[in-house]
Amino acid sequence: MRPALEALENSQHARECPNYSDEQHLWVGIERIIQDKKSGRAWVLHCRLVRGIRVSVRNFFKSLESKRRMRMVMDVAGRVRREADRRRCATPYDPLAEHPELDGFAVYASDGHSHSAASHEKAIEGKIRAINHIYALNLRSHSMEHIALAQPAKGKKKEHELCALKRVGGEALRMGEATGTKVLHAYDPAIIDYRQWHRWKQGRGVYIVTLEKSNSALSKTKEMAFDVNDPRNTGVLSDERVCSSKGFQLRRIRYRDPETGKAYTFITSEFTLPPGLIAFVYKLRWDAEKTFDQVKNTFMEKKAWATTSEAKIQQAGFITLAHNLTLMLEGEIEEREGIRDEKVIRRKAKRLEQQARRSATAGRVFNPLVAGVRRVTKRSSQYIGWLQACLEHKTRWREAMEQLRPLMKEYLW
């Protein structure tokens, strides 16, 4: 929690609230993500009886409806995310650091993630609709940030992700990166709008890479040369400049996965990076899917806490705070105590060996970019379980480390 409390001290949206402070609100929100409680009332009872926080059901849910508290939570979440980037991008965690072509690029995997509506959500055309958020995962540091809440207009069933991105604007897609930094987002084909891509690129320095749709009408205008001797281009079949029916220039890369033999066609508004590196960035989107799986099945965040937009956005902010704080804690444990999740690392190495064997059996060369990624894609259930228990019992650091060390080396079954 220390990074969150330090961020709170610097937040212009913080206020003195004697009955239920901003610090308490951060504690309650972040721990609710990490701990598994089925309802808000059950969580408030836990906070009062176990954590000793004087919070009532009314205070908690009124705070979730507060625009000021929402701005405070999101400001703190943004500051913590930037601190996570600062700590993690300068370490071996970054699989993109060894590629000089990516110097000056911030690289994200972005996507929509939905969960069930709150119990009192109003029906639209007789049906309760899922709540959809858009998040971005920094592929260098693994930090996570909330970009937008999809908010259907009056009379509409839902808001398309692309409409939500247009509404929040290209500045949101810059993710707070410094002026001059190019921002590359790997997104699924829901983001395809070539005119909008052009605006984001020209006005904000934001680039997109995604898969080409099957009904695409892009026409080839030029074959682009690429270095076939560069091992990073393993699997690349062609690199082309293409044009849309409206005259927008794009790049199309045809690629065959060396492991599975499956063919992919990528389109992007970025023209300078090696084609194999573009394909690799899109493959790293899987990290975002694993992070969403952690949110839903480890943190058990499957349902909205309340019905207002302010509450939904705050919940998303608390999700990113919990993710980024557990990420930073994992790094601190490794740096200070030398403890790593060795079981997960061994499983990762074993999977890479199996993938390499499958490629060799099929007479193909395993992609060296994929073979070089050794970091884990999400925090293990045992690590999260240990964290939950330590928070529950207010375990001191040294005792917590003595409990964690064997967990990171041995299976529990």
Side-chain angles (χ1 to χ4, degrees):
M1 274 294 292
R2 186 175 66 250
L5 297 180
E6 291 173 353
L8 178 63
E9 291 179 0
N10 296 310
S11 175
Q12 62 181 344
H13 302 293
R15 299 288 185 274
E16 290 290 337
C17 304
N19 293 329
Y20 178 52
S21 69
D22 286 346
E23 180 178 332
Q24 289 175 321
H25 189 57
L26 287 175
W27 270 105
V28 170
I30 293 168
E31 277 208 55
R32 185 175 177 187
I33 300 295
I34 296 173
Q35 304 286 6
D36 181 15
K37 299 296 178 184
K38 292 184 178 179
S39 70
R41 290 179 179 274
W43 176 242
V44 168
L45 183 62
H46 172 88
C47 289
R48 291 182 68 92
L49 298 181
V50 178
R51 301 295 296 165
I53 299 175
R54 294 176 60 85
V55 56
S56 66
V57 171
R58 182 179 183 277
N59 274 349
F60 179 58
F61 283 98
K62 280 292 182 182
S63 294
L64 288 179
E65 295 174 2
S66 166
K67 287 182 170 60
R68 200 274 302 173
R69 297 261 196 186
M70 177 193 73
R71 289 192 289 268
M72 180 273 294
V73 169
M74 301 312 290
D75 182 37
V76 169
R79 291 172 184 269
V80 169
R81 196 268 294 181
R82 290 189 289 275
E83 176 63 15
D85 288 345
R86 186 189 68 79
R87 295 188 190 186
R88 303 265 302 187
C89 284
T91 70
Y93 296 116
D94 181 4
L96 303 175
E98 63 186 80
H99 306 290
E101 295 91 343
L102 283 170
D103 291 347
F105 277 86
V107 188
Y108 292 87
S110 308
D111 205 353
H113 176 64
S114 62
H115 51 232
S116 301
S119 300
H120 303 291
E121 188 76 53
K122 293 181 180 179
I124 300 176
E125 295 187 4
K127 184 177 180 180
I128 302 296
R129 308 287 171 176
I131 310 302
N132 195 39
H133 295 269
I134 302 173
Y135 295 92
L137 188 76
N138 188 328
L139 291 179
R140 293 184 181 276
S141 67
H142 254 200
S143 72
M144 185 182 187
E145 179 149 329
H146 182 252
I147 298 178
L149 166 68
Q151 298 177 322
K154 188 175 181 180
K156 300 289 185 179
K157 295 180 182 179
K158 63 179 182 178
E159 183 180 34
H160 193 278
E161 289 176 25
L162 181 59
C163 294
L165 292 173
K166 289 180 179 179
R167 173 171 52 79
V168 298
E171 188 60 30
L173 287 175
R174 283 206 56 80
M175 308 300 297
E177 298 290 346
T179 302
T181 300
K182 298 177 181 179
V183 183
L184 177 62
H185 285 268
Y187 211 104
D188 69 26
I191 202 172
I192 289 180
D193 183 327
Y194 305 137
R195 184 184 300 277
Q196 188 62 50
W197 288 15
H198 179 75
R199 290 171 178 164
W200 285 336
K201 177 179 176 179
Q202 296 298 320
R204 298 296 182 180
V206 172
Y207 301 79
I208 306 296
V209 57
T210 189
L211 289 172
E212 185 180 29
K213 288 184 177 180
S214 58
N215 61 351
S216 171
L218 296 173
S219 56
K220 177 180 173 181
T221 59
K222 181 182 178 181
E223 188 78 27
M224 298 175 65
F226 65 93
D227 186 357
V228 295
N229 296 316
D230 186 341
R232 297 177 300 177
N233 290 328
T234 300
V236 175
L237 303 177
S238 66
D239 188 3
E240 305 167 343
R241 184 183 290 269
V242 293
C243 185
S244 73
S245 58
K246 301 294 184 180
F248 295 106
Q249 297 293 312
L250 299 160
R251 182 183 184 188
R252 179 166 61 194
I253 299 165
R254 301 189 189 278
Y255 174 84
R256 188 176 300 280
D257 189 327
E259 179 196 354
T260 64
K262 185 176 179 180
Y264 298 89
T265 303
F266 304 103
I267 51 172
T268 180
S269 52
E270 204 293 316
F271 285 85
T272 66
L273 297 174
L277 204 50
I278 292 286
F280 178 57
V281 165
Y282 195 83
K283 185 175 180 62
L284 288 177
R285 279 192 72 251
W286 180 245
D287 288 12
E289 299 300 328
K290 297 296 284 184
T291 300
F292 292 153
D293 178 74
Q294 176 179 288
V295 169
K296 186 166 285 188
N297 296 312
T298 305
F299 289 150
M300 302 304 290
E301 287 300 306
K302 300 181 179 182
K303 186 176 181 180
W305 290 352
T307 60
T308 65
S309 297
E310 292 79 11
K312 293 168 186 174
I313 292 172
Q314 281 194 62
Q315 183 180 4
F318 285 129
I319 285 172
T320 63
L321 275 165
H323 170 84
N324 293 332
L325 289 170
T326 56
L327 192 72
M328 285 192 284
L329 177 62
E330 181 185 57
E332 187 171 349
I333 289 170
E334 182 172 345
E335 291 172 13
R336 288 178 56 179
E337 307 293 336
I339 300 174
R340 301 189 305 165
D341 201 335
E342 295 178 14
K343 303 184 309 302
V344 175
I345 293 170
R346 289 198 299 269
R347 285 202 295 265
K348 173 82 173 181
K350 186 176 180 179
R351 283 197 298 272
L352 287 173
E353 291 173 4
Q354 292 171 343
Q355 290 174 305
R357 282 198 298 270
R358 282 196 290 267
S359 297
T361 301
R364 295 185 288 265
V365 177
F366 188 46
N367 193 321
L369 290 174
V370 177
V373 178
R374 298 291 171 173
R375 73 178 181 190
V376 297
T377 53
K378 68 174 185 176
R379 321 289 64 81
S380 70
S381 297
Q382 289 172 28
Y383 168 68
I384 299 299
W386 165 83
L387 179 58
Q388 290 170 337
C390 289
L391 289 172
E392 182 90 13
H393 300 290
K394 302 179 183 179
T395 310
R396 293 183 180 277
W397 178 270
R398 185 49 50 202
E399 182 184 350
M401 293 305 104
E402 291 174 357
Q403 296 170 354
L404 179 63
R405 196 176 299 274
L407 288 180
M408 298 294 98
K409 293 182 179 180
E410 302 170 3
Y411 290 96
L412 296 182
W413 55 84

